[in-house]
Amino acid sequence: MKPSLKDNDSLLFKWFCQGLKYFLLALLGLAVAFVVFHTFGANAIVGMLLSETLRLWVERIAIFLVCLFAIAMILESCG
């Protein structure tokens, strides 16, 4: 039996959902890597995971996703 729901999401919203999914998976991977390397005493790798450069990239990607979400919601409400 086919569901009768229509998929009317905009392309921009689909991109946001995909981006958010992979962003959260990457954050989960970084958290797991941090815990594992910290547990086994790999301080050099833990230092890389806590670096300023990585934090800046995570912040930039998060801000980009928030802006993409805002644009998608504005376009959905206008259309």
Side-chain angles (χ1 to χ4, degrees):
M1 186 166 104
K2 279 187 169 181
S4 61
L5 298 173
K6 293 182 180 179
D7 190 16
N8 291 335
D9 292 336
S10 70
L11 184 61
L12 206 56
F13 187 70
K14 288 179 186 179
W15 286 348
F16 164 73
C17 291
Q18 288 291 318
L20 182 65
K21 177 176 82 172
Y22 290 119
F23 177 69
L24 292 177
L25 282 172
L27 284 182
L28 179 66
L30 285 172
V32 169
F34 176 78
V35 170
V36 168
F37 290 131
H38 189 65
T39 302
F40 292 118
N43 292 329
I45 298 175
V46 171
M48 283 187 265
L49 290 174
L50 293 175
S51 70
E52 183 71 21
T53 306
L54 183 64
R55 185 184 66 81
L56 283 174
W57 275 103
V58 169
E59 285 178 359
R60 288 176 183 168
I61 293 170
I63 290 170
F64 173 75
L65 285 172
V66 168
C67 291
L68 190 64
F69 179 70
I71 293 168
M73 289 299 107
I74 290 169
L75 290 177
E76 283 287 323
S77 67
C78 291

